[in-house]
Amino acid sequence: MIAHLNGIELAWDDVGAGVPVVFLHGFPLDRTFWKPQLSALIGQARCIAPDLRGFGGTDAAPPYSIDQYADDVAALLDHLGIDRAVIAGLSMGGYIAFALWRRHRDRVRALILADTRATADSAEGLEKRRALLEVARREGSGAVATRQLPALLGATTRERNPDVAEWLHLMMAMQPPAGVAGAIEAMMARPDSTPDLATINVPTLIVVGEEDTLTPPSDAEAMAGAIRGARIEVLSQAGHLAPVERPAAFNHIVAEFVASLVYC
Ligand code: MLT
């Protein structure tokens, strides 16, 4: 589906019925990343997966900010007539989930934070982003995909699941270079969300791949320690893209969490 929201044409999928769950993809991906989740959870939840501005079918010229991505999600909820939704964010999607919490917390029914972290970029991280920005601008999204993908996948997936690697490489290589560059700059400018963690008072599920080297289990444990009542699940044999590396295990945890919300 496509609608004109916040001055852009925003594209999204909306399938199933039940508790609304908004799935926010990571970088540099698009909404098709969540296909294994949408097909598994369709019987239990209303699954909404937007293409963040500059990715997939949502065309928008940079500059962007993480706050702006969050405002787009709030506008989408308005458009769909949904008061509150579970916000599920993977990595960059998690940064956006924190911005939603800061700016639109009355719209957040619960949080699912997958392979993400609350902290801002370190000096070393910013240096790597600048180099990646150059690659995006000079060589395009295919080069970004080739450079990024090995670190996104766990060692087990790299060894045993070339099909998933190929699918993801294609998805990443197809993203508009301007959107990729805009997202890198948005992530560079994002604030530290650590001070917000203690304010989170909705049910929170944190999931991380045991082999995630970008946002490792130690980051997930730090978030879990700071969010009251948060549940943490560490998925073995998965890296930074745990939802597609161990889809059945990830979906089972999410389904159980969403079902538990009727008691909260
Ligand atoms: C992502 O998966 O969204 C990225 O790894 C986030 C980041 O680069 O910080």
Side-chain angles (χ1 to χ4, degrees):
M1 286 175 220
I2 293 195
H4 191 76
L5 301 172
N6 283 356
I8 60 167
E9 299 293 320
L10 190 98
W12 75 94
D13 288 324
D14 182 353
V15 296
V19 181
V21 183
V22 179
F23 291 92
L24 302 177
H25 63 77
F27 167 87
L29 303 162
D30 64 26
R31 71 188 197 270
T32 60
F33 174 83
W34 296 109
K35 198 166 169 231
Q37 281 63 55
L38 267 53
S39 52
L41 299 167
I42 189 170
Q44 185 191 352
R46 180 173 178 186
C47 302
I48 299 156
D51 279 333
L52 299 168
R53 55 171 67 210
F55 290 100
T58 301
D59 196 13
Y64 318 129
S65 69
I66 294 291
D67 284 352
Q68 203 167 25
Y69 292 125
D71 291 352
D72 292 343
V73 176
L76 178 59
L77 291 176
D78 288 343
H79 177 78
L80 297 174
I82 295 171
D83 282 342
R84 292 171 84 214
V86 180
I87 304 296
L90 172 92
S91 196
M92 183 177 82
Y95 310 156
I96 298 165
F98 290 130
L100 264 160
W101 180 254
R102 278 191 291 277
R103 297 166 72 79
H104 307 281
R105 70 182 57 175
D106 54 325
R107 315 304 294 272
V108 180
R109 168 79 181 84
L111 285 168
I112 300 173
L113 303 169
D115 296 288
T116 192
R117 61 168 181 259
T119 50
D121 285 346
S122 62
E124 189 195 346
L126 286 171
E127 204 45 56
K128 285 187 184 158
R129 296 253 197 240
R130 279 184 209 106
L132 193 64
L133 196 53
E134 278 302 301
V135 172
R137 287 185 174 144
R138 290 202 180 154
E139 300 170 53
S141 302
V144 171
T146 301
R147 195 172 162 132
Q148 287 293 93
L149 189 58
L152 295 176
L153 297 174
T156 306
T157 306
R158 286 200 303 271
E159 275 164 33
R160 299 189 196 162
N161 210 338
D163 289 354
V164 166
E166 200 179 322
W167 171 59
L168 290 164
H169 190 280
L170 190 62
M171 191 190 306
M172 293 164 73
M174 280 171 33
Q175 301 311 316
V180 170
I184 295 171
E185 291 185 307
M187 290 191 286
M188 289 172 81
R190 78 185 191 282
D192 182 6
S193 297
T194 308
D196 301 306
L197 300 180
T199 71
I200 295 176
N201 59 0
V202 293
T204 301
L205 169 67
I206 296 169
V207 189
V208 61
E210 192 175 26
E211 299 173 2
D212 185 344
T213 53
L214 292 180
T215 52
S218 55
D219 283 343
E221 280 152 17
M223 290 191 296
I227 302 174
R228 210 168 325 122
R231 169 179 161 198
I232 178 166
E233 295 284 346
V234 181
L235 284 184
S236 63
Q237 302 188 340
H240 187 63
L241 302 182
V244 297
E245 293 182 65
R246 296 276 320 275
F250 184 87
N251 295 343
H252 178 75
I253 293 165
V254 168
E256 214 179 65
F257 177 71
V258 171
S260 76
L261 295 175
V262 294
Y263 304 108
C264 306

